[in-house]
Amino acid sequence: MQTTRETRISGRIVLISLVAFFAVIAAVNAIMATLAIRTFGGVEADNAYRAGLEFAREISAARAQQERNIQVDVVTSRTGSGVTRFTLTMRGHDVSTEPQLAARLELRHPANKRRDHIIILKRRQAGVFDADALVEAGQWNVRVSVDRAGERIFRSVNRVAIP
């Protein structure tokens, strides 16, 4: 004859099981929240409200830029000492007759904001600007801005590879 052992579930086992279940859930949530906060700040724009308000101004500036039909080329070259030379060439919209143009480049590293550079270009001749800067090799987002007496007449953002 076989004896069967009967297992009884008592209130104590149910209580311990429920507490253990919710403790595991709480621990996993705490770990995931901690990892999420440490690895991503969650802020893409410093002030999202202000960025939203400036959106309409950016659209009108882009339309005005398109009407001017300005073409801009940026060429990079590395000198023997490791310095990068940036040369900006503009064509269209009588850029040769405008001596008060100012050009600048903002090199933005795709992954590390601390590696960003702002380069003010000097006018060498009509429609040609250049500058030298010590910049690490790699992929960069380049924001080109050309202003006339404080008013933006050209802006573009491109991805470049600096050798």
Side-chain angles (χ1 to χ4, degrees):
M1 186 172 190
Q2 241 180 4
T3 59
T4 61
R5 189 168 181 196
E6 190 175 305
T7 306
R8 291 180 31 146
I9 298 176
S10 65
R12 178 180 289 175
I13 292 175
V14 171
L15 178 64
I16 292 171
S17 298
L18 282 173
V19 169
F21 173 77
F22 285 110
V24 168
I25 297 296
V28 170
N29 284 342
I31 290 169
M32 297 297 259
T34 302
L35 291 175
I37 290 170
R38 284 185 185 165
T39 59
F40 181 67
V43 177
E44 183 65 28
D46 293 334
N47 188 339
Y49 177 72
R50 185 170 291 149
L53 291 177
E54 291 187 21
F55 184 70
R57 281 183 277 201
E58 288 294 323
I59 289 175
S60 64
R63 286 185 182 136
Q65 175 177 320
Q66 189 174 15
E67 290 172 4
R68 287 185 198 102
N69 195 26
I70 296 174
Q71 290 88 34
V72 173
D73 293 322
V74 177
V75 176
T76 62
S77 60
R78 191 69 85 162
T79 65
S81 62
V83 174
T84 303
R85 165 144 304 190
F86 296 92
T87 305
L88 182 140
T89 307
M90 294 180 63
R91 291 181 306 282
H93 188 65
D94 296 330
V95 294
S96 61
T97 62
E98 296 194 35
Q100 67 267 32
L101 290 178
R104 75 186 240 167
L105 300 176
E106 296 176 29
L107 294 175
R108 298 179 177 181
H109 193 271
N112 189 347
K113 194 173 187 175
R114 287 175 262 158
R115 294 175 66 188
D116 292 355
H117 300 277
I118 295 177
I119 301 167
I120 306 298
L121 300 167
K122 294 182 179 100
R123 184 175 182 201
R124 295 296 170 213
Q125 60 188 32
V128 178
F129 301 84
D130 67 357
D132 293 337
L134 189 58
V135 178
E136 304 88 10
Q139 295 286 325
W140 293 86
N141 295 325
V142 178
R143 182 177 182 175
V144 179
S145 298
V146 179
D147 299 339
R148 175 185 49 224
E151 175 193 358
R152 181 178 88 197
I153 65 167
F154 182 84
R155 178 176 290 164
S156 72
V157 178
N158 300 299
R159 188 81 175 245
V160 297
I162 296 179

